[in-house]
Amino acid sequence: MLKELWNDAEGGFHPASAPDFLPQTALQEVQLRRLRAVVARAYANVRLFRERMDERGLTPESIRSLQDIRHLPFTVKTDLRDTYPFGLFASPMSDVVRLHASSGTTGKPIVVAYTREDVEVWSEVMARTFASCGLHRGDILQNAFGYGLFTGGLGAHYGGEALGATVIPISGGNTDRQIMLIRDFNVTALCCTPSYFTHMVERARELDIDLRELPLRVGIFGAEPWTDGVRRHIEAEAGIKAYDIYGLSEIIGPGVAAECSAQDGLHIFEDHFYPEIIDPDTGEPLPGGAEGELVITTLSKKAMPMIRYRTRDITSLITEPCSCGRTIRRMRRIGRRSDDMFIIRGVNVFPSQVEAALMAVEGTLPHYQIILTRKGGMDRMAVEVEVTPEVFSDSIRGLEDIRARLAQSIERILGIRVELRLVEPHTIARSEGKAKRVIDRRNEG
Ligand code: DLL
């Protein structure tokens, strides 16, 4: 049976979605074979990895079972920066058909590479992503992820085509044109960042276009954290099902994991990406179901294998079977990264907690910003949030009422009181890609 599914030992192309249903033992067999091959490849071609293996007295032959993965050294983001631009490549440039880069927040970008086979695997996992969200041949997919060095645009583009959907490569931006095409081209599915879609929803309303009356039925969103509150807002306003998809440039781009119709965790395409959860402080693997940092090993990447890459994203693996019948494991939605936390009066705060608190109060809009400042050595946090025009046109009492409810909601979730600024719609800058939720002025002046 495996022979029919897999054209070669290291990950040839095969029918979309079949590996999602492999029995666990068959899946683990594939994973171990691929793990051994990818470790041998990285050892032979990537100096940094070979040196770290040698330091530990390890060789590719040390990997005899999947559990042995825990002996391998981690790879971290600074490894990509330190070897900028091409130091972690395992293929000669003549085999590399694509480069992407991610700017990150500071310093040099990180550069990632793909061989032709890598692009095929990427197209396949993205086709499986879209299939998981209920798309098929015949769907008209508006791809509003940014095209360019960002992996979102081209990743979704190739995956949509591999699935057999009709892809509209509109990229991000020009919101009025986006809405015109959704209507005029009978678009049935759209992908972009969730924050950009909240902007589209708002603009459609201003243009007097009711998205609920159009054929649009599915939204595929990712590249940034978003809460269930925002999901409910989007689903109600646009009359669609909104799915979460996850990925990162270092591993492949989008296509690492995707929700299914159950909307209860994201299935990881673990025949290509092997997940582990570790304690972010000690680096120790955590037992099934525990929350910690997601670590991923690419099982089939050729140009740039990543061994035990520390994503900084915090989640947990769901071990119970999914109602959709797939055997590949799921992870919970990423609510936070281990490096986006800040401390206010001794309390650890994550931006997604603020979003959850805001969205729990009726009358708020999913447009907000957190502003951090420092005074006398103390960090302070203010939250600026837009409220509906009705709230603003209401009496002063209406405004005061919503302010009190927001303060309460934040205090309940964060345990602290913060400065709240209620602002009119359109006050906060809209994003066409990843939203900037936190403005950090702590080191200014
Ligand atoms: O954002 C790849 C992508 C494109 C994923 C389109 C999904 C859709 P990077 O720019 O390298 O790659 O950023 C990766 O974004 O480590 C997470 O912190 C965050 N992220 C991505 N997807 C999600 C998600 C792309 N669904 C970083 N939920 C990751 C929460 C996400 N955070």
Side-chain angles (χ1 to χ4, degrees):
M1 173 192 153
L2 274 178
K3 265 225 170 73
E4 291 156 27
L5 286 177
W6 310 92
N7 296 335
D8 68 37
E10 274 190 60
F13 203 69
H14 36 75
S17 87
D20 296 21
F21 295 90
L22 272 184
Q24 277 298 313
T25 45
L27 178 63
Q28 285 168 1
E29 217 177 277
V30 174
Q31 287 175 324
L32 178 58
R33 191 173 64 236
R34 289 182 172 185
L35 176 65
R36 295 179 64 137
V38 81
V39 167
R41 183 177 180 83
Y43 189 80
N45 298 296
V46 183
R47 204 174 97 193
L48 182 88
F49 180 67
R50 186 168 51 250
E51 284 171 1
R52 286 186 182 160
M53 291 284 279
D54 290 345
E55 274 165 25
R56 289 169 171 73
L58 295 170
T59 65
E61 287 69 43
S62 314
I63 301 295
R64 292 195 196 87
S65 71
L66 277 178
Q67 285 68 43
D68 287 337
I69 199 169
R70 60 172 60 196
H71 304 306
L72 296 173
F74 290 119
T75 309
V76 292
K77 196 169 214 133
T78 47
D79 293 335
L80 282 105
R81 295 230 161 88
D82 295 346
T83 56
Y84 174 86
F86 308 143
L88 296 185
F89 289 12
S91 295
M93 199 53 98
S94 53
D95 287 344
V96 171
V97 299
R98 178 97 62 81
L99 298 177
H100 280 280
S102 135
S103 54
T105 40
T106 48
K108 293 245 177 73
I110 55 151
V111 183
V112 295
Y114 305 76
T115 64
R116 194 168 300 284
E117 279 165 290
D118 292 334
V119 172
E120 277 176 12
V121 168
W122 193 14
S123 309
E124 180 218 309
V125 286
M126 277 309 289
R128 285 162 70 185
T129 292
F130 288 133
S132 185
C133 303
L135 264 56
H136 37 70
R137 193 189 167 97
D139 267 308
I140 300 178
L141 172 65
Q142 184 153 323
N143 183 10
F145 279 124
Y147 281 64
L149 288 178
F150 176 54
T151 52
L154 282 168
H157 183 104
Y158 275 57
E161 286 189 355
L163 183 75
T166 307
V167 181
I168 305 171
I170 190 167
S171 194
N174 203 338
T175 310
D176 286 6
R177 190 174 56 172
Q178 300 268 1
I179 292 162
M180 184 177 83
L181 295 201
I182 296 177
R183 188 191 56 196
D184 296 351
F185 290 7
N186 292 325
V187 167
T188 57
L190 184 143
C191 53
C192 63
T193 58
S195 57
Y196 186 42
F197 194 67
T198 56
H199 177 38
M200 273 191 219
V201 161
E202 167 188 66
R203 185 69 190 140
R205 197 174 258 254
E206 286 165 4
L207 295 172
D208 235 355
I209 293 176
D210 189 347
L211 293 175
R212 289 168 301 193
E213 288 172 359
L214 301 180
L216 187 66
R217 85 169 201 280
V218 179
I220 302 112
F221 305 113
E224 63 185 1
W226 53 306
T227 56
D228 274 331
V230 168
R231 187 199 318 251
R232 282 191 295 274
H233 172 85
I234 286 173
E235 291 193 333
E237 291 281 312
I240 60 170
K241 277 271 244 179
Y243 294 103
D244 189 20
I245 68 169
Y246 168 79
L248 61 164
S249 315
E250 298 89 313
I251 297 304
I252 200 154
V256 173
E259 280 187 334
C260 63
S261 54
Q263 290 181 316
D264 180 26
L266 290 81
H267 288 279
I268 303 168
F269 298 114
E270 57 169 328
D271 47 323
H272 293 294
F273 312 112
Y274 189 83
E276 295 173 86
I277 301 289
I278 62 161
D279 178 326
D281 297 325
T282 65
E284 282 306 309
L286 293 174
E291 187 179 81
E293 180 180 340
L294 177 66
V295 169
I296 302 178
T297 298
T298 61
L299 296 176
S300 52
K301 275 281 271 317
K302 292 278 171 25
M304 204 168 138
M306 279 286 134
I307 309 292
R308 300 196 87 202
Y309 185 71
R310 291 188 59 162
T311 65
R312 300 273 161 198
D313 293 322
I314 304 293
T315 183
S316 57
L317 297 180
I318 304 174
T319 40
E320 297 83 51
C322 180
S323 58
C324 75
R326 261 180 283 184
T327 46
I328 48 172
R329 281 176 291 176
R330 285 169 293 159
M331 61 180 222
R332 292 193 196 287
R333 297 178 70 189
I334 306 280
R336 58 196 173 96
R337 289 176 59 81
S338 58
D339 50 11
D340 68 3
M341 185 189 87
F342 43 86
I343 299 175
I344 301 293
R345 296 195 288 280
V347 176
N348 297 351
V349 177
F350 289 95
S352 55
Q353 292 176 299
V354 176
E355 179 175 305
L358 298 177
M359 292 307 293
V361 175
E362 210 179 313
T364 54
L365 293 167
H367 303 289
Y368 66 94
Q369 233 162 25
I370 298 164
I371 298 137
L372 301 177
T373 51
R374 182 167 291 156
K375 212 169 177 186
M378 275 276 272
D379 287 352
R380 292 157 172 251
M381 166 177 155
V383 177
E384 218 166 70
V385 58
E386 292 182 10
V387 291
T388 59
E390 293 78 44
V391 171
F392 252 96
S393 57
D394 231 24
S395 60
I396 303 273
R397 251 192 68 215
L399 262 182
E400 283 316 310
D401 181 51
I402 198 167
R403 181 193 298 281
R405 278 186 288 137
L406 280 169
Q408 235 176 32
S409 179
I410 289 182
E411 198 168 351
R412 195 173 54 242
I413 292 182
L414 299 183
I416 49 168
R417 285 187 160 267
V418 303
E419 184 192 338
L420 264 172
R421 297 178 203 149
L422 307 191
V423 294
E424 289 183 53
H426 285 298
T427 312
I428 294 166
R430 301 292 185 255
S431 87
E432 294 168 356
K434 298 181 192 242
K436 191 164 172 48
R437 299 296 192 195
V438 182
I439 311 286
D440 194 343
R441 302 211 171 105
R442 285 176 294 181
N443 293 321
E444 284 174 15

